[in-house]
Amino acid sequence: MVKTYLRFELKAAHGVVTSPECNAIYDSKRTLAVCGCLEFVKVWSLRQGSCISTLFDGEGDDPRPAVMCLTRAPEGRPLVAAGYRDGSVRLWNLESGESEVGVPLCQVCFHGHRSAVVSLAFNHDGSLLASGSMDTEVYS
């Protein structure tokens, strides 16, 4: 008797898809998911079921802190912000700021919090970003 499950083979392994501490966000068309994967921010194609990009912060190969939270700007603006365990906040434009390897490059990095950033929010038109952290400070 042939066991039917032996017909299926592993084609790919993704590793960490998302971290348990971090939320996942979607683009306005619901075709892309942006997830915090340990210390990386990854962009997943929901139609293909594969990782299409890792957002690069431009700070070299030093050990990075874990991603704690993500948010995106309101409809029509391709901005994504990530809050990190070390208190930094990084901002990416998903449609521009390409690096040499074809992935979006970090536009800006803010260092102000003394503890992990646990909350991020854009205002209604995406021109202001507020961040809150475990040190009980809120910056905008």
Side-chain angles (χ1 to χ4, degrees), residues 30-107:
R30 295 275 202 207
T31 58
L32 299 176
V34 181
C35 304
C37 303
L38 302 177
E39 67 270 13
F40 300 105
V41 178
K42 296 197 175 207
V43 181
W44 293 86
S45 169
L46 297 178
R47 291 190 179 147
Q48 298 171 354
S50 62
C51 180
I52 58 172
S53 179
T54 299
L55 300 182
F56 183 64
D57 62 7
E59 294 190 9
D61 293 331
D62 295 332
R64 296 178 193 93
V67 180
M68 298 297 290
C69 61
L70 295 167
T71 190
R72 70 175 179 86
E75 305 301 321
R77 301 203 57 184
L79 300 176
V80 171
Y84 287 81
R85 188 178 299 272
D86 69 347
S88 63
V89 175
R90 291 177 177 87
L91 188 67
W92 287 272
N93 184 335
L94 294 179
E95 293 180 356
S96 67
E98 299 273 325
S99 70
E100 307 82 41
V101 292
V103 297
L105 192 60
C106 181
Q107 301 289 309

